[in-house]
Amino acid sequence: MNKRFIQTLAKALLLCTPLVFMQSCSFLNKTKERLGMGKSGGGANYDPLGGVTNGEIIAPARKGYKQTAPAGMVLIPSGSFLMGQADQDVFSSRVSMNKRVTINPFYMDDTEITNNEYRAFVNFMMADSVSVLGEEYIMTKIYPDTTVWKKDFTFHNGDQMTENYFSSPAFDEYPVVGVTWDAAQYFSDWRTNQYNAYRVENNQFKSPSFRLPSEAEWEWAARGGREGAKYPWGNPYVSNAKGCFMANFKPFRGNYRADGFAYTAPANAFDPNDFGLYNMAGNVAEWTQDAFSESYMPITWDMNPTFDDPNEPRKVVKGGSWKDVAYFLETGTTTFEYQNVAKSYIGFRNVMDRQGAVPGRE
């Protein structure tokens, strides 16, 4: 062999040796684990018949799974709190009685779903599902009802909002409105399918679904860990020491502009609460998963309570909106709307279950 050949062979060996070493030390598998992709053969390719060796059950925990917060979401830790009205029930509705409940950890969107985010969903449905659902169905059941700006208020000049709110780039980062509870369910299912399709393609374990929060989850998240908090920022006022309003609502018996915004505000306007969530009071009220019931408190359990009744068309709405007085901004105030009705002051945000124990906030 000539000298050039020997030099080439030596270089090849030097290049291959680190790769062999890294493979023998499971370097690649560990790297994939850190990325949440699982080991080779894990994730979507996991062997369901594994775990039995020499006739004995030897099934250690599957490697490579690490749940991380989806984009735009924050971790809401588990906790126990006194659910219900934190101040006087001024309407004497008797539907916000107090009860201590415990909530598992979950992830939650730090803002309401924006026009831009919802537009991505609508565009996808028009491009991918129009042959199945039909254009009329998508435009009437899924596309935001922009006419709500005219219909919701008597003798109101809402043309500018009807024409521009969902279509103009000026409102891209504002919360989507005119969306029914049913449409929010469609969005949540679509978001889940997109997220898990990517994970399966990349040999990752499937994720829990995106969904609407339960009433109890929403209220726990809104309080930001503050026991007995009347508002997401605490008690007892709607403005800070400098006189600046803490949310977008209807102050001074109708001076809508006093908080800085006549209608809605950007989804990340105002300060977040202690969990990092924006606009859990005001801006737009938010759909929850729960059906409405005057007997919610006595009939639901005190561990992750929910009232999911498909035969009840009234669905719980929380948080108050840009057109509401301060009472509706309180964390414990509960109202409802019919699931097939869209409003100019109701939007939504998603949550996702956190799997396993959480030692502390991430």
Side-chain angles (χ1 to χ4, degrees):
M1 294 184 289
N2 58 39
K3 186 176 181 179
R4 183 183 296 274
F5 177 79
I6 293 174
Q7 289 176 341
T8 303
L9 181 61
K11 289 180 181 179
L13 289 173
L14 287 174
L15 290 172
C16 292
T17 300
L19 294 176
V20 173
F21 173 76
M22 287 188 295
Q23 183 65 30
S24 64
C25 294
S26 300
F27 176 83
L28 296 178
N29 283 339
K30 290 180 179 178
T31 300
K32 292 171 74 176
E33 286 181 42
R34 294 191 189 100
L35 296 175
M37 295 176 63
K39 291 185 177 181
S40 298
N45 295 329
Y46 173 73
D47 181 8
L49 300 180
V52 178
T53 303
N54 298 328
E56 297 185 79
I57 300 177
I58 303 175
R62 286 176 283 178
K63 302 296 183 181
Y65 179 77
K66 181 181 179 181
Q67 188 174 7
T68 56
M73 285 190 157
V74 295
L75 177 65
I76 308 301
S78 60
S80 175
F81 75 109
L82 197 62
M83 184 178 177
Q85 208 70 39
D87 203 348
Q88 297 181 27
D89 185 1
V90 296
F91 287 162
S92 299
S93 58
R94 309 298 182 192
V95 299
S96 295
M97 297 178 289
N98 298 106
K99 180 171 71 173
R100 180 160 293 279
V101 301
T102 301
I103 303 296
N104 275 353
F106 57 95
Y107 296 103
M108 190 176 210
D109 285 322
D110 60 357
T111 70
E112 296 132 345
I113 297 299
T114 65
N115 282 322
N116 219 19
E117 290 169 331
Y118 198 83
R119 187 179 300 108
F121 163 58
V122 171
N123 290 343
F124 185 93
M125 297 299 288
M126 289 297 292
D128 184 71
S129 302
V130 68
S131 60
V132 178
L133 298 176
E135 183 175 352
E136 181 180 358
Y137 183 89
I138 294 174
M139 295 303 295
T140 57
K141 301 295 185 181
I142 295 176
Y143 196 89
D145 182 0
T146 58
T147 65
V148 292
W149 295 102
K150 288 282 289 184
K151 295 187 299 185
D152 286 350
F153 312 105
T154 304
F155 300 113
H156 166 242
N157 182 18
D159 287 343
Q160 57 175 329
M161 300 298 286
T162 294
E163 295 172 6
N164 300 313
Y165 187 73
F166 187 66
S167 60
S168 172
F171 295 104
D172 277 354
E173 298 306 312
Y174 284 61
V176 68
V177 297
V179 174
T180 66
W181 183 88
D182 293 324
Q185 301 293 333
Y186 269 109
F187 176 90
S188 303
D189 291 342
W190 171 80
R191 189 178 181 184
T192 299
N193 292 336
Q194 297 302 304
Y195 193 63
N196 277 329
Y198 172 82
R199 295 181 66 84
V200 170
E201 289 174 3
N202 288 274
N203 196 31
Q204 301 178 30
F205 292 103
K206 280 191 174 182
S207 168
S209 299
F210 293 97
R211 57 179 176 81
L212 294 179
S214 68
E215 179 182 352
E217 287 173 331
W218 190 98
E219 190 169 324
W220 163 245
R223 293 174 189 263
R226 295 172 180 258
E227 185 69 32
K230 182 178 179 180
Y231 301 109
W233 51 86
N235 295 320
Y237 306 113
V238 292
S239 59
N240 60 22
K242 296 181 179 180
C244 300
F245 288 109
M246 304 292 287
N248 178 22
F249 67 115
K250 180 182 177 180
F252 300 143
R253 298 186 179 182
N255 186 354
Y256 293 91
R257 197 67 175 78
D259 53 44
F261 301 93
Y263 291 101
T264 58
N268 61 351
F270 302 95
D271 293 332
N273 72 358
D274 290 347
F275 285 163
L277 302 171
Y278 294 86
N279 289 308
M280 292 299 283
N283 210 22
V284 294
E286 299 176 16
W287 291 112
T288 71
Q289 185 66 35
D290 286 9
F292 178 81
S293 173
E294 292 83 354
S295 303
Y296 173 89
M297 286 296 188
I299 66 176
T300 55
W301 200 33
D302 57 359
M303 175 66 178
N304 294 319
T306 185
F307 185 66
D308 190 6
D309 183 359
N311 297 317
E312 173 55 75
R314 298 177 301 171
K315 304 301 180 183
V316 171
V317 175
K318 299 284 285 186
S321 74
W322 60 269
K323 62 89 182 173
D324 290 318
V325 295
Y327 169 76
F328 293 98
L329 272 61
E330 296 181 21
T331 56
T333 300
T334 296
T335 59
F336 70 85
E337 187 52 79
Y338 288 89
Q339 68 184 72
N340 62 348
V341 173
K343 293 292 185 180
S344 61
Y345 46 85
I346 300 179
F348 70 100
R349 70 180 82 204
N350 281 148
V351 298
M352 173 190 284
D353 292 330
R354 164 73 190 203
Q355 301 293 288
V358 179
R361 290 185 63 185
E362 293 181 343

